[in-house]
Amino acid sequence: MSDTNAPDDAESHPTESVWMSTTEPTSYPPLDGDGEADVVVVGGGITGLTAATRLSEEGADVAVVESGRIVEGVTGRTTAKLTLQHGLIYDHLRSEFGAEKARRYADANQEAIETVKERVDRYDIDCDFDRTAAYTYTESTEKRAKISDEVDAATALDIPAAFVEDTPLPFDVEAAIRVEDQARFHPRKYLLALAETVEDAGNDIFEGTKATEIKSGDRNRVVTDRGTLTADAVVVATHFPILDHRLFFSRLYPHRSYVVTIRTDDAPTEGMYYRAEEPERTIRTKVAGEDDLLIVGGEGHKTGHGDSKERYRRLERYADEQFEVESMPYRWSTQDYGTPDRIPFVGRAGPGTDGVYVGTGFGGWGMTNGTAAGELLADLALGRSNPYEGVYDPTRVSKSSAKKAVKENTQVAKEFVEGWAEGLLGSGTVTPPAGESRIVRHDGKPYGLYRDEDGELHAVSAVCTHMDCIVKWNAAEKSWDCPCHGSRFEVDGDVIDGPAVEGLSNPGTQE
Ligand SMILES: Cc1cc2nc3c(=O)[nH]c(=O)nc-3n(C[C@H](O)[C@H](O)[C@H](O)COP(=O)(O)OP(=O)(O)OC[C@H]3O[C@@H](n4cnc5c(N)ncnc54)[C@H](O)[C@@H]3O)c2cc1C
Ligand code: FES
């Protein structure tokens, strides 16, 4: 145990990721008026930039449109493990889809690691890429058999997996599955270098340019707040798709989780770790190339359903119990969307959208899946086939889909009713003290109020613009989060995460 005062100190650490803090911000210009390209890629995370790079390598004329700055979304806040080992997944995939599809999912993810490595070599990118093993471990005797089943499934699928009882971690585990030849890297260093290659090839990257609509026709048109781009094909890589013809909102589940970094002399330098049981834990070694810097993550929950400050405290307490912590330099939180059967949705955007393609639902494993998706989306945009199209097919129906959809949508209905009951009957019109929030009613409508530390009162409509659920305050991130499908909004109502595209209406800020 250390003297970091971790549990009480949670609020004093800045909430910025180590990847953002160790790279310079970008400054690509916004779109200035109308234009055209062969392919427009909307979204500058790992999915969009991988697609743009591949398209650029193939000689296509590409324009990337990013609402904020590139690689500052989920990809700028990941833990950056490159692995095909996505927790205990292969036993599940084998029984859900059969051995062939399970093997292809593994192949797609291992190939994605090799794709990253090839580009690191080709463009000589200094991004701390190195190979290491991935472990999924259990500390519970009851889960030992599950690890054993996973090893059996993985080896039957030709994954180089082994059952082990020792790991380089400084605490005991009951059992683990170890997969060799996985990798870790610095995602921003890698992707910012790829963006440069895209621009150097004569293509455009527009930052501060928000796509608001995609209109299909003979050619597709991406309408943005800075002008309209016409293109033969459009890749939608906005994390949650801004175009939802396949009703993804009812099949994507937002999962928010937390990360702290610790500086410690007893950090293992080898391996990346994921705990098989609740509470979820993820450990990533050699962060930003530093031997003594470790990521400890976990405490995930459905967006809008957890006390974020408490989650940080628990994570910091856990890190402090397991390691000799000298300091905790960074902490941050972000969210990813999972699918009912745990395979992402990547492919055609849906009926009436010829030439428009989407990639989403990476379930916490978008470094490899996002890379595979970027390659697949680029192939589709070029009119070519891709070996993994069938694996990620967004039209698939799987055994677990219907059951999970019923459960999730029952929960959404409950949130809707309870949210409105609280919004209309709840806290009346009492305004909050500094640093606090309230849902209040005014003229029979619910509003979210937040008074900042300077005493300024910020008011927004509490009705989520996606499908009218009532938002909840997230005290650690200072945002309004929707408990139904995971949209998040700034204090003054601007959208942070979809599916909502429009911000919360904002009656103004008062002293
Ligand atoms: C805590 C945490 C840890 C994780 N760790 C790992 C890990 O170790 N390994 C792993 O494989 N995966 C991990 N993941 C998952 C992985 O980080 C994500 O799946 C991946 O980064 C998603 O990439 P993306 O390109 O789809 O989204 P993003 O990186 O979010 O990119 C989408 C971009 O689109 C932009 N955008 C949105 N709307 C618009 C619009 N209307 N117009 C223009 N631009 C728009 C956004 O600003 C953003 O830049 C983790 C996830 C979490 C939550
Ligand atoms: S995200 Fe769907 S109602 Fe808010």
Side-chain angles (χ1 to χ4, degrees), residues 464 466-469 482 484-487 499:
C464 177
H466 176 232
M467 290 183 77
D468 294 348
C469 285
C482 181
C484 287
H485 311 104
S487 292

Side-chain angles (χ1 to χ4, degrees), residues 19 41-50 64-86 109 183 185 187 191 206 208-213 222-225 236-242 255-259 272 280 282-284 295 297-298 332-337 359-371 373 495-498 500-501:
W19 320 118
V41 174
V42 188
I46 193 163
T47 309
L49 288 174
T50 302
V64 177
V65 170
E66 164 57 52
S67 56
R69 297 273 171 211
I70 58 168
V71 210
E72 293 196 2
V74 188
T75 305
R77 295 178 163 81
T78 180
T79 45
K81 297 174 179 173
L82 286 158
T83 177
L84 59 74
Q85 189 197 71
H86 300 164
N109 282 279
F185 71 153
L191 289 162
F206 300 114
T209 303
K210 182 174 178 172
T212 51
E213 203 181 344
V222 178
V223 182
T224 80
D225 54 357
V236 180
T238 51
H239 195 222
F240 196 102
I242 54 163
H255 187 78
R256 194 152 190 85
S257 51
Y258 301 81
V259 173
M272 306 178 290
E280 163 196 43
T282 180
I283 297 172
R284 152 77 214 259
I295 280 176
W332 67 91
S333 163
T334 187
Q335 73 192 41
D336 210 1
Y337 293 90
T360 188
F362 300 120
W365 300 106
M367 294 295 102
T368 48
N369 273 319
T371 301
V495 177
I496 305 173
D497 287 302
V501 182

Side-chain angles (χ1 to χ4, degrees), residues 327-410:
S327 62
M328 292 189 182
Y330 311 96
R331 67 175 189 138
W332 67 91
S333 163
T334 187
Q335 73 192 41
D336 210 1
Y337 293 90
T339 67
D341 56 26
R342 298 175 63 189
I343 295 188
F345 298 130
V346 187
R348 291 177 171 73
T353 59
D354 272 1
V356 185
Y357 308 98
V358 295
T360 188
F362 300 120
W365 300 106
M367 294 295 102
T368 48
N369 273 319
T371 301
E375 295 290 317
L376 166 47
L377 293 166
D379 273 334
L380 294 176
L382 292 166
R384 298 183 189 167
S385 61
N386 178 286
Y388 302 115
E389 212 177 326
V391 174
Y392 293 109
D393 180 3
T395 63
R396 70 181 178 271
V397 179
S398 55
K399 288 186 215 164
S400 48
S401 302
K403 218 190 302 169
K404 176 106 176 158
V406 168
K407 188 169 161 231
E408 287 290 330
N409 290 321
T410 305

